[in-house]
């Protein structure tokens, strides 16, 4: 890094030459003399040259960049001096070197590191690498591994100079590629040793280390190193100690750093898996207990709640968030308001940072949470973004980020995914569609190649969660949902074969790619009587291992191919998993297949999906009443044979009049009575029946009942509004209860024979 060397050829100012000469001479004294009695007097006389007036002159006549060069030069010489001094008793030598270190400290405090590094990112990378190398010097490595009883003021002071420079230069490196992974690994291991030896994290160095780690852990490329160095275990151990002991009281600042490190680890897919394996949620959420943190002030207590809620939100399944614990459930409103406030406040700053969080961090949290329709509805209905609705604010923010020349795409990526989730809901479609500036932008972004709008070309430091689709894909989805824009060309991209057998299209989450590939391979081995389309085989005239020709043509736009495949398929095989539920792309596919095209589907579960897993929400509604295959219950060959048989039967079933409602292993005869008879038999008011005239089959009633069990409050509000508009009077609650009771009895009659609990819905009881 340094432009300053022993010859001082690169530095012309006299004051910088004098400063460097002093530290060069210090090094030369130790190289020249080995007698302790000779060395100490020389060092003390040399220190007298560092007069207050000289230090002031250095401060006033040098730039921040030159100061950083001088500091690096001085620290390098001091560390080397200590290394040489080991031959004559460095322990006695160190107190005499403190005065030199104090001068360096004064110089470092004269630099506004927060504003300096962002103005020169190239130099920030250079400085970061050089100062990081200093922490890996033999002397500092040995010191960081010492016990707390062996610590010395000299090295603590040196680290308190080094670490802030590393921290602030690393902040600027969030926009640069990280080239120092091996150096970082060594430092992370040494810092862990120091922290573990500081039982109560009381030293100022521990605090500086944690602050540096908080910034460093924002780089996704380094999360694997944090995991290898066991930082997840270490952070959770500190939190457990706080919870179990009234005498171990971490400061508010230290707690914030620990929680932010955990949050950054949770943003990475592998990191979140590690934390879930360690049951991190159970540990972290205990910090919501005010009694455990009674030693903190009210303001300090609330400061740590934001990283807690963001971490928990990323770790827990969205579908389970509201039920994962009573404390979190009670605090949902508080959590969501904090997230919205953080985004709003960050959007008002020049660097999009508020309370140490970049705006992309809470946005990515919402992008995941909005997978859950109930959470989405709650935030859009109950939270406010200052003087406008949250929906309008998100739309305005996306426009703002697009107009701003910013190389960081993550905020825009998150916002597009958030708006995609919102666009699935009928009540918000008009608002999105009527926003002309937004729709024009969405149309523009949908035409940008995926390589320019997606995740693939992001800087490697950026934390791009797997649940975020590319900007292009998200915008195409928004247009599909809101503007009824078809993704198909006028001519089909895929042509159906002339085979007598049905074409089966496989819809799956790419997390389940390995299972899907194994399934396709096994089907090809067992039969030639089934034509399949799956996206990883989309190629010009794809030929499988059995030399069987597939008439599938390639396109650069896989969305068009998928939509075309759904249209020509006789049946859709859906590989069900939690990841399928989490995927908006999968939701788009299945919604198009079932809601628009009324395609028949066959849900299947891989052997890795627990038999207790029951899809809910949007996915549960669409696969209710379908025969399924669970690959964890039988041998693979037996399951594939059953699946092939079910696919073949689809052709026959689809050509016959609908006579039965199939729900898993149970069959209800539809020809026993029609929809009108059901409403009459259950004494449901005719006005309510008229509101549901679009439901034509008993299976649709069961699907609606399942939907109602999950979204009863929203449905009650929606039905009340429709009822009032149509009949100009309020909906009678008793009439609604009679209708709901009849629906749930119908639903339970079907579930009874397949072992599904028919206990009253507790949430419904609370609602009423």
């Amino acid at each position: 890094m340094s432009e300053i060397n022993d010859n001082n050829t690169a530095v012309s100012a006299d004051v910088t030459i004098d400063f460097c000469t002093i530290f060069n001479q210090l090094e030369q004294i130790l190289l020249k003399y080995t007698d302790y009695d000779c060395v100490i007097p020389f060092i003390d006389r040399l220190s007298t040259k560092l007069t207050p007036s000289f230090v002031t002159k250095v401060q006033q006549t040098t730039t921040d960049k030159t100061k950083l060069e001088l500091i690096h030069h001085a620290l390098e010489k001091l560390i080397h001096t200590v290394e040489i001094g080991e031959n004559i008793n460095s322990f006695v030598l160190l107190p005499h070197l403190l005065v030199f270190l104090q001068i360096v400290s004064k110089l470092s405090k004269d630099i506004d590191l927060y504003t300096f590094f962002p103005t020169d990112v190239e130099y920030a990378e250079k400085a970061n690498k050089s100062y990081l190398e200093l922490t890996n010097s033999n002397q500092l490595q040995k010191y960081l591994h010492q016990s707390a009883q062996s610590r010395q003021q000299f090295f603590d002071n040196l680290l308190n100079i080094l670490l802030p420079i590393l921290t602030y230069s690393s902040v600027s490196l969030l926009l640069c590629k990280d080239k120092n992974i091996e150096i970082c690994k060594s430092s992370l291991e040494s810092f862990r040793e120091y922290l573990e030896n500081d039982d109560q994290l009381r030293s100022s160095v521990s605090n500086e280390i944690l602050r540096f780690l908080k910034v460093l852990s924002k780089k996704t490329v380094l999360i694997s190193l944090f995991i290898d160095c066991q930082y997840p275990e270490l952070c959770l151990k500190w939190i457990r100690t706080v919870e179990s002991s009234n005498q171990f009281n971490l400061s508010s600042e230290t707690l914030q750093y620990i929680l932010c490190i955990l949050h950054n680890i949770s943003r990475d897919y592998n990191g979140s898996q590690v934390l879930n394996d360690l049951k991190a949620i159970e540990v972290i959420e205990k910090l919501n207990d005010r009694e455990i943190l009674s030693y903190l002030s009210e303001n300090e207590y609330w400061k740590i709640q934001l990283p807690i809620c963001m971490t928990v939100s990323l770790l827990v399944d969205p579908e389970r968030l509201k039920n994962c614990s009573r404390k979190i459930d009670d605090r949902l409103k508080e959590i969501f308001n904090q997230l919205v406030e953080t985004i709003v406040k960050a959007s008002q700053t020049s660097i999009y940072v508020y309370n140490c969080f970049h705006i992309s961090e809470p946005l990515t949290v919402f992008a995941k949470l909005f997978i859950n329709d109930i959470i989405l509805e709650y935030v859009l209905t109950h939270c406010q973004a200052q003087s406008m609705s949250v929906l309008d604010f998100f739309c305005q923010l996306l426009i703002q980020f697009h107009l701003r020349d910013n190389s960081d795409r993550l905020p825009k990526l998150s916002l597009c995914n958030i708006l995609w989730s919102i666009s699935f809901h009928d009540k918000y479609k008009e608002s999105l569609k009527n926003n002309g500036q937004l729709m024009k932008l969405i149309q523009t972004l949908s035409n940008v190649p995926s390589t320019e709008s997606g995740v693939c070309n992001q800087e490697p430091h950026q934390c791009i969660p797997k649940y975020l689709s590319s900007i292009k894909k998200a915008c195409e989805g928004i247009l599909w949902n809101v503007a009824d824009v078809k993704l198909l060309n006028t001519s089909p991209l895929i042509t159906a074969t002339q085979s007598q057998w049905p074409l089966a299209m496989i819809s799956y989450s790419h997390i389940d790619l390995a299972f899907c590939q194994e399934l396709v391979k096994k089907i090809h081995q067992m039969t030639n009587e089934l034509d399949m389309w799956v996206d990883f085989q989309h190629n010009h005239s794809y030929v499988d291992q059995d030399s069987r020709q597939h008439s599938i043509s390639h396109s650069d736009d896989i969305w068009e191919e998928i939509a075309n495949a759904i249209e020509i398929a006789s049946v859709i095989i859906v590989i069900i998993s939690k990841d399928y539920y989490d995927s908006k792309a999968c939701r788009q596919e299945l919604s198009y297949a079932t809601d628009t095209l009324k395609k028949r589907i066959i849900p299947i579960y891989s052997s890795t999906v627990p038999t207790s897993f029951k899809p809910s929400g949007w996915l549960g509604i669409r696969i209710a009443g379908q025969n399924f295959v669970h690959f964890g219950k039988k041998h693979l060959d037996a399951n594939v044979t059953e699946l092939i048989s079910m696919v073949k039967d689809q052709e026959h079933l689809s050509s016959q009049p609908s006579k039965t409602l199939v729900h898993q292993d149970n069959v209800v005869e539809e020809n026993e009575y029609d929809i009108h008879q059901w409403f009459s038999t259950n004494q449901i008011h005719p006005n309510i029946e008229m509101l549901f005239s679009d439901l034509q089959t008993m299976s649709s009633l069961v699907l609606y009942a399942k939907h109602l069990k999950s979204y009863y409050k929203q449905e009650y509000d929606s039905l009340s509004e429709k009822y009032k508009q149509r009949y100009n009077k309020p909906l009678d609650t008793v009439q609604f209860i009679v209708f709901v009771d009849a629906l749930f009895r119908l639903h339970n009659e079907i579930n009874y024979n397949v072992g599904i609990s028919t206990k009253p819905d507790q949430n419904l009881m609370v609602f009423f």
Side-chain angles (χ1 to χ4, degrees):
M1 163 197 163
S2 182
E3 296 171 4
I4 302 166
N5 53 43
D6 292 351
N7 297 323
N8 304 305
T9 56
V11 182
S12 57
D14 290 341
V15 66
T16 58
I17 294 175
D18 292 342
F19 183 91
C20 290
T21 299
I22 291 172
F23 286 90
N24 291 340
Q25 290 175 348
L26 177 65
E27 180 187 48
Q28 291 302 316
I29 290 172
L30 272 294
L31 288 171
K32 185 174 182 180
Y33 300 100
T34 57
D35 184 358
Y36 169 78
D37 292 331
C38 294
V39 168
I40 297 301
F42 274 121
I43 291 176
D44 290 343
R45 283 198 296 272
L46 184 62
S47 68
T48 61
K49 295 184 179 182
L50 298 171
T51 63
S53 59
F54 173 74
V55 175
T56 301
K57 187 176 181 182
V58 173
Q59 291 173 321
Q60 292 177 347
T61 59
T62 55
T63 64
D64 285 347
K65 188 172 182 178
T66 302
K67 289 187 182 76
L68 283 168
E69 297 283 353
L70 293 175
I71 292 168
H72 182 271
H73 180 79
L75 294 180
E76 195 174 44
K77 295 301 179 184
L78 282 168
I79 291 172
H80 191 216
T81 298
V82 174
E83 186 176 352
I84 301 168
E86 281 189 330
N87 299 324
I88 62 167
N89 192 343
S90 61
F91 183 78
V92 179
L93 176 68
L94 292 180
H96 296 272
L97 296 178
L98 276 173
V99 63
F100 295 90
L101 205 54
Q102 289 166 356
I103 299 304
V104 179
S105 178
K106 285 182 180 179
L107 204 59
S108 69
K109 290 176 181 176
D110 198 45
I111 307 172
D112 185 356
L113 297 170
Y114 181 78
T115 58
F116 170 72
F117 283 119
T119 62
D120 193 340
V121 176
E122 184 177 350
Y123 182 77
E125 183 175 6
K126 185 179 178 182
N128 186 267
K129 183 175 184 295
S130 298
Y131 278 91
L132 201 56
E133 286 173 343
L134 288 180
T135 68
N136 281 275
S137 64
N138 291 332
Q139 290 301 311
L140 273 179
Q141 286 289 303
K142 286 170 60 177
Y143 178 69
L144 288 167
H145 285 80
Q146 288 179 0
S147 65
Q149 293 76 17
S150 305
R151 289 183 180 160
Q152 298 153 340
Q153 185 181 356
F154 174 84
F155 284 108
D156 276 359
N157 288 0
L158 192 151
L159 285 165
N160 280 328
I161 296 170
L162 256 178
L163 287 165
I165 296 173
L166 280 173
T167 297
Y168 286 107
S169 61
S170 295
V171 171
S172 298
L173 287 185
L174 290 176
L175 301 178
C176 298
K177 294 181 179 179
D178 193 289
K179 301 176 181 178
N180 309 318
I181 293 180
E182 287 304 314
I183 303 176
C184 285
K185 183 175 183 179
S186 177
S187 296
L188 285 173
E189 290 173 344
S190 302
F191 289 149
R192 185 199 64 211
E193 289 290 326
Y194 187 96
L195 293 169
E196 285 189 300
N197 290 329
D198 187 3
D199 291 338
Q200 298 193 11
L201 302 178
R202 298 294 191 191
S203 77
S204 59
V205 173
S206 291
N207 205 52
E208 288 294 343
I209 288 175
L210 287 170
R211 184 166 67 145
F212 172 55
L213 295 179
K214 180 198 75 170
V215 172
L216 207 61
S217 61
K218 286 181 180 289
K219 301 183 182 182
T220 310
V221 71
L222 298 179
I223 294 301
S224 61
L225 300 185
F226 275 83
I227 294 172
D228 291 343
C229 293
Q230 298 184 315
Y231 276 98
E233 291 89 341
L234 189 57
C235 289
L236 292 174
K237 184 188 81 170
W238 288 323
I239 294 176
R240 284 193 188 95
T241 310
V242 173
E243 297 165 358
S244 61
S245 171
N246 293 328
Q247 298 173 349
F248 187 86
N249 296 335
L250 293 178
S251 69
S252 168
E253 188 175 42
T254 301
L255 262 177
Q256 281 190 67
Y257 293 154
I258 292 170
L259 288 167
C260 285
I261 292 169
L262 287 173
H263 167 252
N264 290 332
I265 293 173
S266 72
R267 295 170 68 211
D268 177 77
Y269 183 77
N270 293 326
S272 65
Q273 287 190 316
V274 169
L275 289 173
N276 276 323
D277 289 342
L278 294 170
K279 301 188 183 306
I281 292 176
E282 296 176 12
V283 178
I284 296 170
E285 68 176 359
K286 288 183 180 178
L287 293 181
N288 290 327
D289 191 337
R290 190 67 180 91
E291 292 184 9
I292 291 177
L293 300 176
S294 58
Y295 65 92
L296 296 182
S297 69
E298 199 67 16
N299 184 52
E300 289 173 335
Y301 170 76
W302 285 110
K303 273 190 175 180
I304 71 167
Q305 296 309 302
L306 185 61
I308 288 175
C309 81
M310 292 177 68
T311 305
V312 170
S313 297
L314 289 174
L315 291 179
V316 75
D317 292 345
E319 186 63 19
R320 291 174 44 239
L321 180 64
K322 59 185 183 300
N323 297 318
C324 64
S325 86
R326 186 161 178 245
K327 289 180 182 177
I328 289 187
D329 188 45
D330 292 342
R331 293 169 53 81
L332 273 178
K333 184 175 181 180
E334 180 86 32
I335 289 172
F336 298 147
N337 281 332
Q338 283 190 49
L339 287 170
V340 171
E341 180 186 17
T342 302
I343 296 170
V344 172
K345 293 288 181 65
S347 71
Q348 296 169 345
T349 68
S350 60
I351 56 174
Y352 290 107
V353 173
Y354 173 71
N355 201 17
C356 297
F357 288 106
H358 187 265
I359 194 170
S360 62
E361 295 177 71
L363 282 173
T364 55
V365 170
F366 270 140
K368 179 179 182 183
L369 292 180
F370 276 16
I371 293 168
N372 181 291
D373 291 339
I374 295 176
I375 294 175
L376 181 150
E377 180 68 25
Y378 180 89
V379 172
L380 296 187
T381 304
H382 294 90
C383 296
Q384 278 293 117
Q386 291 190 323
S387 59
M388 66 179 73
S389 70
V390 173
L391 175 56
D392 289 340
F393 173 72
F394 283 151
C395 295
Q396 187 180 91
L397 193 59
L398 177 59
I399 295 169
Q400 177 182 335
F401 267 104
H402 182 69
L403 295 175
R404 185 177 186 266
D405 183 18
N406 191 330
S407 59
D408 188 359
R409 292 191 182 93
L410 186 52
K412 190 158 66 171
L413 185 68
S414 299
L415 283 164
C416 287
N417 277 266
I418 286 171
L419 293 176
W420 188 10
S421 291
I422 295 172
S423 72
F424 284 102
H425 297 259
D426 290 339
K427 67 185 295 185
Y428 301 113
K429 288 182 180 179
E430 282 303 311
S431 180
L432 292 170
K433 192 173 183 178
N434 293 334
N435 189 328
Q437 189 176 7
L438 173 72
M439 294 310 295
K440 184 176 180 181
L441 172 58
I442 296 296
Q443 183 70 60
T444 299
L445 294 175
S446 71
N447 292 322
V448 175
S450 295
T451 53
E452 296 178 20
S453 70
V455 174
C456 55
N457 67 328
Q458 296 292 320
E459 297 290 350
H461 73 273
Q462 288 193 313
C463 188
I464 307 296
K466 293 182 182 293
Y467 52 82
L468 290 183
S469 298
S470 70
I471 291 175
K472 174 182 175 62
K473 195 168 188 177
C475 289
E476 286 178 337
I478 294 169
L479 291 174
W480 182 292
N481 291 335
V482 174
D484 296 324
V485 173
K486 298 302 180 185
L487 302 181
L488 302 180
N489 290 334
T490 53
S491 58
L493 296 170
I494 308 168
T495 57
T497 62
Q498 299 302 313
S499 169
Q500 60 177 312
W501 305 112
L503 171 67
M505 183 268 186
I506 302 180
S507 177
Y508 69 102
S509 162
H510 283 276
I511 300 297
D512 301 313
L513 174 61
F515 171 74
C516 185
Q517 289 174 327
E518 181 185 12
L519 175 66
V520 170
K521 180 179 179 182
K522 177 59 69 172
I523 291 174
H524 285 160
Q525 290 173 352
M526 295 182 67
T527 182
N528 287 327
E529 298 177 349
L530 184 63
D531 199 5
M532 288 185 298
W533 189 95
V534 60
D535 62 358
F536 58 77
Q537 292 180 344
H538 67 97
N539 203 343
H540 290 291
S541 192
Y542 167 78
V543 180
D544 64 21
Q545 293 179 340
D546 299 320
S547 302
R548 185 161 180 266
Q549 186 81 19
H550 293 256
S551 51
I552 298 173
S553 52
H554 177 72
S555 166
D556 291 333
D557 192 340
I558 190 64
W559 265 93
E560 293 188 17
E561 291 193 35
I562 290 173
N564 195 185
I566 293 171
E567 287 198 339
I568 67 171
S570 304
V571 60
I572 311 298
I573 298 173
V574 184
I575 300 178
I576 304 297
S577 66
K578 185 190 80 65
D579 296 292
Y580 193 93
Y581 170 80
D582 290 348
S583 169
K584 285 183 285 294
C586 293
R587 181 174 185 170
Q588 196 87 61
E589 291 175 23
L590 192 55
S591 297
Y592 184 56
T594 59
D595 301 354
T596 305
L597 301 179
K598 312 299 182 186
K599 294 286 182 175
R600 298 188 67 88
I601 63 171
I602 300 177
I604 65 173
Y605 300 79
S606 73
S607 57
T608 59
V609 177
T611 54
S612 59
F613 175 73
K614 289 191 170 37
S616 56
W618 69 266
L619 178 56
I621 291 170
R622 287 170 175 83
I623 68 170
Q626 305 294 333
N627 281 324
F628 65 93
V629 181
H630 200 302
F631 278 69
K633 294 183 176 180
K634 302 177 186 177
H635 187 272
L636 177 62
D637 287 358
N639 283 313
V640 172
T641 299
E642 181 181 357
L643 175 61
I644 293 170
S645 175
M646 291 172 66
V647 172
K648 290 180 181 179
D649 287 345
Q650 297 303 313
E651 281 292 288
H652 170 72
L653 290 170
S654 61
S655 63
Q656 300 298 318
S658 178
K659 293 183 179 179
T660 60
L661 165 63
V662 182
H663 183 85
Q664 296 178 344
D665 299 324
N666 190 54
V667 178
V668 175
E669 295 294 333
E670 281 206 13
N671 57 10
E672 291 179 1
Y673 47 80
D674 60 16
I675 292 291
H676 173 69
Q677 183 181 348
W678 182 86
F679 276 95
S680 300
T681 302
N682 289 283
Q683 299 181 344
I684 297 169
H685 198 283
N687 286 353
I688 293 181
E689 180 181 355
M690 289 297 295
L691 294 178
F692 290 89
S693 58
D694 289 340
L695 297 181
Q696 299 295 319
T697 64
M698 293 303 298
S699 59
S700 63
L701 269 180
V702 175
L703 291 177
Y704 180 73
K706 186 174 180 67
H707 171 75
L708 184 62
K709 285 177 75 70
S710 298
Y711 304 102
Y712 50 82
K713 189 177 188 308
Q714 292 93 321
E715 285 300 313
Y716 177 77
D717 292 341
S718 175
L719 188 62
S720 296
E721 184 178 345
K722 292 178 182 177
Y723 193 95
K724 188 171 182 179
Q725 289 177 353
R726 184 158 187 168
Y727 302 111
N728 198 27
K729 61 180 179 180
L731 171 66
D732 186 282
T733 304
V734 174
Q735 293 176 8
F736 181 69
I737 292 175
V738 171
F739 173 55
V740 172
D741 178 61
L743 277 175
F744 285 5
R745 279 188 282 108
L746 173 66
H747 184 269
N748 289 340
E749 285 171 7
I750 296 172
N751 289 338
Y752 180 78
N753 289 332
V754 291
I756 299 176
S757 173
T758 59
K759 293 180 180 179
D761 188 282
Q762 295 299 317
N763 289 328
L764 184 64
M765 293 172 69
V766 171
F767 174 66
F768 285 117

